[in-house]
Amino acid sequence: MTGRPGMAELAADLSAEHDDVASLTEGLDAAGWDAPTPSEGWSVRDQITHLAWFDAATVTAVTEPDAFAAVRVAADADVDGFVERVRREESGRQGPDAARWWADERRRLVDVVRDLPPDRRVPWFGPDMSLASKVTARIMETWAHGQDVADALGRSRPATDRLRHVAHIGVRARPYSYAVRGRELPAEVRVELTAPSGAMWSWGPDEAPDRVTGDALDFCLVVTRRRHVDDTGLVATAGPAREWMEMAQAFAGPPGAGRRPGQFPRGQR
């Protein structure tokens, strides 16, 4: 896939993704905010405070990299433990307070990144990255945690072509999916996806015999570990393509348990 977007488009897509996820929580009562999500031990409120905290951390990384460095040192020793500590520390917020906090932080983030150069280097947990890659990662994470909220509340979200950001980072993260498990990366895989708009998106060599084909939404659900590949309509050839789809992850850190086959009926999104 070619023609990566500029910062204005990325910022607009991040803002739109923020708004879609925020709309899921409008009017929730206390029981709704406490509803368990498919991520074990995480409520709807936990998903929103997680997004708020890491949107705020992104602003710090962009505007005060030296201050962010201290946060990174604390996290690098135990990423899972750090994320869980953030969840516990913010778990006492009432739902409306969590919503207001995230509203403030997400607006601040979009305002900060919109006019900056896409190749600006930004520190993060792990290697530094370009600002364009950092904002693409925020779109991916916002969408993925939004899926947890939608699943918890039994709601569906219309798929949009913003999924190209999620799919792109999912493809780019294929080497990491193997590295984090201490496994050797096999042959390249061709990915061909049908976008919500009907457009065709593709990555990888045309001639690669190992292929993943299907619906972009299904692919994004799999690479963010929100659905098991068997609960989607994706077609993955036997070998490296199927192996990748069983362990793909578009995010940094340990892989976690993911979703079990049959946890969601096929087509439930």
Side-chain angles (χ1 to χ4, degrees):
M1 185 178 175
T2 59
R4 299 302 297 148
M7 287 311 305
E9 181 181 347
L10 284 169
D13 283 354
L14 176 58
S15 182
E17 203 61 53
H18 284 153
D19 290 346
D20 274 6
V21 175
S23 71
L24 295 170
T25 66
E26 290 177 359
L28 280 187
D29 59 13
W33 282 103
D34 288 338
T37 69
S39 296
E40 186 175 356
W42 284 51
S43 66
V44 168
R45 178 182 53 252
D46 294 331
Q47 301 286 349
I48 298 303
T49 57
H50 177 89
L51 290 173
W53 198 96
F54 282 93
D55 279 352
T58 303
V59 173
T60 301
V62 173
T63 61
E64 300 178 80
D66 290 342
F68 178 80
V71 179
R72 179 162 65 179
V73 168
D76 280 351
D78 180 8
V79 175
D80 274 358
F82 182 79
V83 170
E84 176 59 18
R85 187 169 80 244
V86 169
R87 187 197 68 80
R88 289 197 309 268
E89 288 175 353
E90 302 300 340
S91 63
R93 288 181 183 265
Q94 298 298 309
D97 179 42
R100 285 190 294 270
W101 179 35
W102 187 37
D104 290 342
E105 297 301 345
R106 67 179 189 259
R107 281 194 293 266
R108 195 161 64 105
L109 172 57
V110 171
D111 287 345
V112 163
V113 303
R114 184 185 288 116
D115 297 321
L116 294 177
D119 58 353
R120 176 168 174 164
R121 301 305 293 177
V122 178
W124 196 240
F125 304 102
D128 294 357
M129 61 181 73
S130 70
L131 182 63
S133 293
K134 179 66 251 166
V135 174
T136 301
R138 293 311 303 152
I139 294 171
M140 178 274 295
E141 187 168 7
T142 301
W143 181 84
H145 285 279
Q147 187 63 45
D148 292 335
V149 172
D151 287 338
L153 301 175
R155 300 179 184 177
S156 60
R157 299 182 292 168
T160 76
D161 275 15
R162 293 192 300 274
L163 287 175
R164 69 180 175 137
H165 303 300
V166 182
H168 181 76
I169 204 170
V171 172
R172 291 288 300 275
R174 180 172 176 256
Y176 181 80
S177 300
Y178 281 81
V180 75
R181 293 165 175 80
R183 299 173 66 171
E184 185 176 348
L185 181 68
E188 291 190 82
V189 173
R190 173 75 170 176
V191 177
E192 296 179 349
L193 304 175
T194 303
S197 65
M200 293 301 300
W201 298 337
S202 62
W203 294 261
D206 291 342
E207 68 279 7
D210 301 301
R211 292 175 174 260
V212 176
T213 59
D215 185 81
L217 174 57
D218 282 345
F219 182 81
C220 292
L221 288 166
V222 170
V223 298
T224 57
R225 299 183 69 77
R226 265 55 186 184
R227 294 291 186 273
H228 190 278
V229 63
D230 288 346
D231 294 333
T232 72
L234 289 179
V235 176
T237 55
R242 171 70 193 193
E243 178 183 70
W244 174 34
M245 287 296 94
E246 290 181 349
M247 64 182 189
Q249 67 178 77
F251 51 86
R259 303 291 181 259
R260 304 180 306 276
Q263 186 173 356
F264 294 91
R266 180 172 288 199
Q268 180 180 326
R269 296 163 173 181

